[in-house]
Amino acid sequence: MCCIALMGLFKDVHAAKSIRFLTAGELQSSLLSESENIRFNGRNYIMGVVDALMLTKASPVCMNEKTEINTITDLVRVQMQQRPDLLRYNAASVVREVMVANFPCV
């Protein structure tokens, strides 16, 4: 009985630690990694955020369908390098703000 209770407690503690958002600093680290796989994961994270934005009907982002993900990744990476104050924020919100600034609907 004691072990079952401890296993349940461990599961809850583990779940609590794993449920959080990726920070822009963590995203930047992945984009600047020496590992191609880790850079690829960062790029795919950005692509997922962009895909979600484009599916949102009220999205303030209007992007040409021929815009390449590498262009967007470079915009996000440069913005984070130029503004280190952004690194503490949620990565998805930083990607969204970069998209709104660079691909506004006018």
Side-chain angles (χ1 to χ4, degrees):
M1 182 78 160
C2 175
C3 293
I4 294 173
L6 286 175
M7 286 177 24
L9 179 61
F10 176 75
K11 183 183 106 189
D12 292 342
V13 169
H14 179 70
K17 286 184 178 182
S18 66
I19 298 175
R20 65 177 185 82
F21 292 103
L22 183 73
T23 67
E26 292 167 329
L27 177 59
Q28 182 186 44
S29 291
S30 69
L31 295 175
L32 298 175
S33 174
E34 291 184 18
S35 168
E36 185 176 337
N37 285 337
I38 294 173
R39 286 193 312 271
F40 183 75
N41 290 340
R43 185 185 74 101
N44 284 342
Y45 177 88
I46 292 171
M47 189 165 49
V49 173
V50 170
D51 284 346
L53 285 172
M54 299 311 293
L55 290 172
T56 305
K57 292 181 182 179
S59 176
V61 175
C62 292
M63 181 178 61
N64 182 324
E65 63 187 38
K66 294 183 181 185
T67 302
E68 295 186 14
I69 188 61
N70 290 337
T71 300
I72 295 167
T73 300
D74 289 343
L75 289 170
V76 171
R77 186 182 39 75
V78 167
Q79 184 68 22
M80 289 188 298
Q81 287 175 324
Q82 292 176 348
R83 298 211 29 226
D85 58 301
L86 296 175
L87 299 181
R88 63 187 172 114
Y89 293 109
N90 176 298
S93 67
V94 171
V95 172
R96 180 190 180 280
E97 293 308 312
V98 169
M99 293 299 296
V100 169
N102 289 280
F103 301 98
C105 296
V106 287

